[in-house]
Amino acid sequence: MASKNSSSAFKLITLLTIIVFAAIAIIVVISSNNKEESNDNDIVYDQSPSIKGQPVLGEEAAPVQVVEFGDFKCPACKAWGENIYPQLVEDYVNTGKVQFSYMNVLFHGDESKLGSVAAEAVLNIEPDSYWDFHKGLFAKQPGDDHDSQWLTMDAINEVAGETTSIAPEALLAEMQTKEVIEAVNVDTTLVNEYEVQLTPSIMINDKMLEDPFDYEQIKRLIDQALEEQE
């Protein structure tokens, strides 16, 4: 009798162990947010982020989508914009192969939010001036003490005065609209959905790059995506 009870207990423990491990496996799959690591350590998602309503550079019919998750307060984003972005535009955007878009990340708090709201306001009022304003705001970032409180309304108005025809009062009013605030919130939702932890983070279609400064990898992935479209 004792032997039968021991055997039953052992079977029950084994069954429970299997159930526990199966549950853990399910949790891991769910928490992975439908992503997987590729052979080169870039992360692949089920789909690329939606760029509806986002600032876009390049032809709408371009076969490859490149998205930058960036922060106007981020020195690495400034460096990426000065060293990688121009080459990307020359090689792929201007040739009609890539459509480039930028999404706001608010990792540096109130100043990041202020810059993002200002950029979205410019996009709404004077969309043709967006990229000039975008580059101008990054150019305003100090090279040394970027942690200082430099991203202010005075700085925004100065850059807007150099890159747009928008009056300061019109820009400020637009920055406070529900539409602009919602646009920044959409970006934050995408930042969370794609688990962005560093800026800049660069996505080529559905793939998040491990190293956004590896231009050879950027070229390789774009060329690979272009070949798949043929």
Side-chain angles (χ1 to χ4, degrees), residues 70-90:
D71 188 325
F72 288 111
K73 278 280 289 185
C74 165
C77 297
K78 177 183 172 74
W80 193 90
E82 293 173 347
N83 296 290
I84 304 298
Y85 169 83
Q87 196 65 48
L88 176 70
V89 171
E90 180 180 346

Side-chain angles (χ1 to χ4, degrees), residues 38-154:
S38 64
N39 293 333
D40 43 29
N41 294 323
D42 299 323
I43 297 175
V44 182
Y45 289 83
D46 283 349
Q47 61 185 5
S48 56
S50 170
I51 59 173
K52 181 180 179 181
Q54 301 292 348
V56 171
L57 189 66
E59 297 181 10
E60 186 176 350
V64 178
Q65 173 182 300
V66 176
V67 171
E68 175 190 0
F69 289 92
D71 188 325
F72 288 111
K73 278 280 289 185
C74 165
C77 297
K78 177 183 172 74
W80 193 90
E82 293 173 347
N83 296 290
I84 304 298
Y85 169 83
Q87 196 65 48
L88 176 70
V89 171
E90 180 180 346
D91 292 345
Y92 293 104
V93 177
N94 290 345
T95 56
K97 299 174 181 177
V98 159
Q99 188 178 51
F100 178 82
S101 187
Y102 180 88
M103 297 187 185
N104 298 293
V105 182
L106 311 181
F107 284 170
H108 292 267
D110 290 342
E111 287 182 82
S112 299
K113 184 175 182 179
L114 186 64
S116 300
V117 168
E120 292 289 347
V122 170
L123 182 65
N124 279 1
I125 299 174
E126 203 170 282
D128 289 343
S129 298
Y130 171 84
W131 291 107
D132 288 335
F133 177 82
H134 174 104
K135 289 185 286 186
L137 205 54
F138 272 117
K140 193 73 176 172
Q141 183 186 129
D144 296 327
D145 189 12
H146 57 265
D147 287 329
S148 63
Q149 190 174 352
W150 65 269
L151 215 172
T152 62
M153 275 308 303
D154 286 341

Side-chain angles (χ1 to χ4, degrees), residues 10-21:
F10 177 77
K11 290 179 180 179
L12 179 60
I13 292 171
T14 302
L15 179 60
L16 289 174
T17 301
I18 292 171
I19 292 172
V20 168
F21 276 106

Side-chain angles (χ1 to χ4, degrees), residues 147-166:
D147 287 329
S148 63
Q149 190 174 352
W150 65 269
L151 215 172
T152 62
M153 275 308 303
D154 286 341
I156 287 169
N157 286 329
E158 182 177 343
V159 173
E162 296 169 350
T163 59
T164 78
S165 61
I166 305 171

